[in-house]
Amino acid sequence: MAIDAATVRKVARLARIAEPEARLEPLARELTGIMAWIEQLAEVDVEGVEPMTSAVSMPAPMREDVVTEGGDANQILSNAPKRAQDFFVVPKVVE
């Protein structure tokens, strides 16, 4: 897919990016090269390849699902910038 200077100008205007006229042709060549790489990726046969979330296959660590009391409030709140009794104090964000 070839991208011309008019397309770059239109995309720059839509993105609210100010590009000088002299820069449009070089950008068009760069974007055409990027699109060529994307088209090349479309040719890769991915039949039977499972989707991945990471390049390294490893299971998520699991822990025992145990109900607890939640811990000691004093210890949990020890690093809080502000606290009131056993609660965190946060700025009001809704009027």
Side-chain angles (χ1 to χ4, degrees), residues 63-95:
R63 63 176 172 79
E64 191 69 31
D65 189 13
V66 179
V67 177
T68 66
E69 294 298 317
D72 179 25
N74 285 325
Q75 185 180 4
I76 293 169
L77 293 166
S78 64
N79 290 327
K82 287 186 177 179
R83 68 185 273 186
Q85 298 165 356
D86 289 341
F87 301 99
F88 291 96
V89 175
V90 296
K92 183 177 179 180
V93 293
V94 178
E95 294 295 326

Side-chain angles (χ1 to χ4, degrees), residues 2-26:
I3 297 177
D4 59 357
T7 304
V8 174
R9 185 181 300 109
K10 180 179 179 180
V11 171
R13 183 180 57 79
L14 291 171
R16 307 287 195 264
I17 299 172
E19 280 297 332
E21 196 68 30
R23 183 79 180 106
L24 296 179
E25 272 303 322

